[in-house]
Amino acid sequence: MQPEGQPESRIENVRKPDSKPVKDVQHLLLNIQHVLPDDDIPWYKQRHLLLLNIFMIIPYLSSTTNGYDGSMLNGLQSMNQWQQFFNFPTGTRLGSLSNGVIFGQIVAFPIVPWLCDHTGRRFPIFLGSFLLVIGAVLQSASHNYAMFLISRMVIGFGGIIAVEASPMLVSELAYPTHRSVLVGYYNNLWYLGALSAAWITYGTYFMGPNSSWAWRIPSLLQGFFPLLQVLLVYLLPESPRYLVQQDRLDDARKVLVKYHAGGDDNSALVDYEMREIILHVTAAKTSSSKGYTEFIKTTGNRHRLFIIILVPCMMQLSGNGLVAYYLHLVLTSIGLISSPQQLRINGGLMIFNLGVSILMASLMELAGRRRLFLFSTIGMLISFVTWTILSAINQEQNFQHGSLGVGVVAMIFVYQFFYNAGLNGPPWVYVTEVLPTHLRAKGTNIMQIASTCTLIFNGYANPVAMETINWRYYIVYCCVTAAEIVIVYFFFPETKSRSLEEVAVIFDGEEAFGENEL
């Protein structure tokens, strides 16, 4: 909304006096370091930064809810009570339950970018979380297969609205030197939800062989984290970049002064951030139609499009789908068929994943995004090849040697270590960095659409293939992971130690700031 008394051209008329046009790209890349406060006080002793970073937990819960869903469905598949109630679903019938969330996401895709661009980042989180609470209640009350499937569609519809807005808010609101770690933690909190669901389903399993509450309680508790978001999301300030897009410059500056400068209205950092955001948004407004066709108009945007499609494919088509949604089938394929045993392995894996992912995200700014992608894909390939060989030998020997089954479980943990290193935290950091402000909502939507397409494949192909060809199916993922190594090496530039606006220089050069002066 245009503030009263402010001309439409206000954003376009901002200039720094006595400056020259931007011609030196390296000058741009170094500026942010020159305006950071020169003090040795750690962030956790500065009230404004401590408060801001604590607030980030609220959008993180969108990822936590997402993780809860995947792990809960894994746990329910290992429950005799759930299997009996829904008449032992297999193949495409089981795949439909996994993809029920995806069906809901497909319906939401057309409206999510509009919500983020026109209502800000906070309202979509509120709306999506509210719908998730409704979906969880319906899921727990299901009395047949159809109702359970519909409830999962509602969960998917609300979930994708919250999931797309949440990392954007974290990325656009975070303190510049904290952004990569904070956004990296976003996807890591997936495992907090997965861990919660794994041990909740393990505990409710012992409620009795005929008790439907064994699966209804975990289903209902899926609404707990979204409920917290509904109640708390408006404690967070709105994204200053969204506010600048709406020409609410004073509001944007107030957010930055309060949370980045601790109330110092003369902060050089805030001046720099405001100038950089304004110039970047201005360039976008004067040269962009802001439609999806913008992604194919320039070389830089085509490069971005390639990355935001490839990254979610890597996240979902590297074999992790077998662990995330079909661990039950993987463990059964190596002779581990006891329900309590499978539930314990699932719970232990989630604890391991949470610890590793937080550790690796903390090292992201030191290691860089590209290096972590390469470390991850190479490690996954080695562990997946070993996993495949052990599974093949185990099946050929009719599961007579328990040590081979233990070896497969060990390789699952090793694989997850490498997956978490590069394909859990870094993807959301990387995608939000490579996308400029005016394309971030649409680009995130494209990322989710690509992710959905791969999830649909996983949802139907994985259970059918695992039941039909068992360990041989792993060979497909070995080949895919090998191709990912080549793609990362040649097409993924490094983006660390740069502000969101400075990353644009990597893709667009001097055109990132148009003809404006800095």
Side-chain angles (χ1 to χ4, degrees), residues 360 362-372 494 496:
M360 298 308 293
S362 300
L363 301 175
M364 195 180 308
E365 194 59 33
L366 177 65
R369 292 40 149 175
R370 184 175 183 274
R371 190 176 298 171
L372 283 178
E494 185 56 74
K496 73 169 185 174

Side-chain angles (χ1 to χ4, degrees), residues 63-124:
S63 182
T64 303
T65 302
N66 202 19
Y68 187 101
D69 182 77
S71 184
M72 183 195 70
L73 193 61
N74 247 337
L76 296 187
Q77 289 179 67
S78 297
M79 278 188 178
N80 295 328
Q81 301 97 320
W82 184 84
Q83 293 280 5
Q84 291 173 2
F85 192 92
F86 292 103
N87 197 26
F88 300 92
T90 59
T92 56
R93 188 173 175 85
L94 176 59
S96 293
L97 289 183
S98 297
N99 283 336
V101 170
I102 306 303
F103 301 149
Q105 291 177 353
I106 292 173
V107 177
F109 279 140
I111 68 171
V112 179
W114 185 92
L115 281 172
C116 292
D117 284 339
H118 291 82
T119 67
R121 314 311 192 207
R122 295 180 301 177
F123 177 73

